[in-house]
């Protein structure tokens, strides 16, 4: 997520480890658009996948969501490997978000 969620300090909520699943829960009370975002990052034993979830609540008005992972690996060759699936569904707004007669274009 962009803007405030990318740059503000998150509040630690919990770190759980149950049945081979480790979950980090963080939260952020936003100020620019008042509301809350809860972030959960999960790791499962025996998997190399990073599962992430963001729940946006208590916000009002039109919103154009953009989400992508931001990862940093050590500056050493072979320190990380990224594998992703292809796009299943995507949408972009080809104009001003606050303008009337919004038209979304499907990718």
């Amino acid at each position: 997520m962009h803007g405030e969620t990318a740059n503000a300090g998150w509040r630690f909520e919990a770190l759980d480890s149950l049945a081979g699943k480790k979950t980090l829960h963080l939260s952020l009370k936003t100020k620019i658009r008042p509301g809350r975002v809860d972030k959960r990052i999960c790791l499962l034993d025996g998997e190399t996948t990073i599962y992430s979830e963001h729940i946006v609540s208590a916000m009002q008005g039109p919103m154009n969501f953009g989400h992508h992972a931001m990862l940093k690996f050590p500056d050493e060759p072979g320190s990380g490997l990224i594998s992703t699936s292809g796009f299943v569904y995507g949408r972009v707004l080809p104009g001003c978000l606050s303008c009337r007669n919004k038209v979304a274009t499907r990718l």
Side-chain angles (χ1 to χ4, degrees), residues 4 7-11 27-29:
E4 190 173 5
N7 300 305
W10 289 77
R11 179 176 179 233
S27 69
L28 177 66
K29 287 185 180 178

Side-chain angles (χ1 to χ4, degrees), residues 3-83:
E4 190 173 5
T5 55
N7 300 305
W10 289 77
R11 179 176 179 233
F12 174 82
E13 295 288 343
L15 180 60
D16 297 318
S17 183
L18 299 168
K21 179 180 180 182
K22 293 169 186 61
T23 304
L24 172 64
H25 177 196
L26 306 171
S27 69
L28 177 66
K29 287 185 180 178
T30 55
K31 296 176 183 161
I32 295 170
R33 179 187 296 256
R36 178 181 168 116
V37 180
D38 284 275
K39 173 193 300 231
R40 286 183 178 81
I41 300 171
C42 300
L43 302 174
L44 301 179
D45 288 350
E47 292 190 19
T48 57
T49 303
I50 299 170
Y51 297 92
S52 68
E53 173 185 53
H54 290 83
I55 299 172
V56 178
S57 60
M59 293 186 186
Q60 297 181 357
M63 229 179 295
N64 188 10
F65 287 97
H67 187 274
H68 56 85
M70 299 294 292
L71 304 172
K72 178 163 178 36
F73 294 103
D75 292 332
E76 310 224 358
S79 62
L81 175 66
I82 302 292
S83 176

